[in-house]
Amino acid sequence: MSVWAVLAAAGRGERLGSDRPKAFARLGGRPLLAESLERLEESGWIDAIVIAAPPDWEEPSILVAEEIAATKVSSAVTGGDSRSESVRLALAEVPEDAAVVLVHDAARPLLPEEVIERVLAPLSDGWDGVVPTVPLADTVKRVEGDRVVETLARDDLVAVQTPQAFLADALRRAVAGDVSAATDCASLVESQGGRVKVVEGDSRLLKVTDADDLALVESWLA
Ligand code: CTP
Ligand code: MG
């Protein structure tokens, strides 16, 4: 059974406000992308990797892979206007005989091997997808403008991270339609009637959004 990874790295990183795309912001002296790429390369579970790169950053992505000797990287494709479109474009490079696809955000540089294992294992038990989750620390309210409409029961809510693992066929079907509104791949699989399991995530999988996040992840690396 071959497992392919799609690394979504094509975002602009507007909230980080760097002079380059977020995947190429410096983290510990090298591009942010290198951190998750190295962890995918070293994972015993992953056979091959496709990178979705920002327009004009395909070559630099391949150079990062070469610098860290990430020989599992098969290609770097140009990403799309949204994360889901970037995933769809990268998935087109994954061969038909791939059984499983793991989708990960380059914006989450610290990728523990245990989480890769946790999201992949249930796929052999009849699940179409598996997502890592963490409990919500804050109370969550639905609002309209500046008015609270509803306070949601926190017991039923979790925050969802990546890596997310899918049977390749289920993910291909999910990204074939209109993906514009989706913020993760699992929601597309769910809307196709796919069965998605939740497993325990990891606080180290923090998503780097702004400069404070980058500094925090940098401190964890040191
Ligand atoms: N992503 C992508 N293609 C896009 C948009 C996002 O591959 N068109 C990827 C990003 O590179 C990132 C992940 O999806 O690894 C999560 O997106 P986000 O954290 O929002 O990153 P950016 O879109 O780059 O940041 P911003 O929204 O601040 O511009
Ligand atoms: Mg974004």
Side-chain angles (χ1 to χ4, degrees):
M1 177 179 100
S2 82
V3 179
W4 280 63
V6 164
L7 188 59
R12 282 201 290 268
E14 273 166 9
R15 289 166 291 179
L16 185 60
S18 170
D19 60 350
R20 60 194 74 179
K22 182 155 70 184
F24 292 87
R26 307 303 283 186
L27 174 69
R30 51 186 202 170
L32 180 111
L33 168 73
E35 200 62 43
S36 52
L37 195 55
E38 191 169 65
R39 287 150 190 264
L40 289 170
E41 173 72 21
E42 285 169 1
S43 171
W45 294 88
I46 305 298
D47 297 306
I49 305 164
V50 179
I51 303 169
D56 298 329
W57 291 82
E58 305 85 354
E59 262 317 296
S61 300
I62 294 295
L63 286 176
V64 171
E66 284 172 2
E67 270 160 30
I68 62 172
T71 56
K72 293 179 184 173
V73 173
S74 115
S75 59
V77 303
T78 314
D81 287 338
S82 67
R83 180 187 185 277
S84 301
E85 277 162 22
S86 295
V87 171
R88 175 174 38 207
L89 292 162
L91 198 56
E93 298 297 311
V94 173
E96 282 300 320
D97 62 1
V100 167
V101 178
L102 181 105
V103 182
H104 185 60
D105 291 335
R108 302 178 192 269
L110 305 186
L111 172 56
E113 174 79 352
E114 311 91 83
V115 180
I116 297 178
E117 179 167 354
R118 280 208 287 278
V119 294
L120 288 173
L123 292 177
S124 48
D125 299 333
W127 298 92
D128 298 301
V130 186
V131 299
T133 65
V134 289
L136 289 174
D138 299 318
T139 298
V140 178
K141 297 184 192 292
R142 207 157 57 75
V143 298
E144 274 168 20
D146 61 359
R147 190 176 69 90
V148 172
V149 176
E150 185 190 3
T151 299
L152 301 168
R154 201 173 60 190
D155 291 352
D156 296 345
L157 298 172
V158 291
V160 178
Q161 305 174 316
T162 75
Q164 301 186 348
F166 303 95
L167 297 181
D169 289 343
L171 185 60
R172 282 187 208 282
R173 275 195 302 276
V175 300
D178 176 18
V179 298
S180 52
T183 54
D184 77 349
C185 294
S187 60
L188 296 168
V189 172
E190 291 153 32
S191 62
Q192 295 274 314
R195 296 175 70 234
V196 176
K197 182 178 171 64
V198 299
V199 296
E200 192 187 347
D202 195 305
S203 57
R204 289 170 291 177
L205 277 165
L206 176 80
K207 183 158 84 164
V208 172
T209 301
D210 58 25
D212 287 346
D213 299 329
L214 191 61
L216 184 57
V217 169
E218 180 117 32
S219 75
W220 289 346
L221 270 180

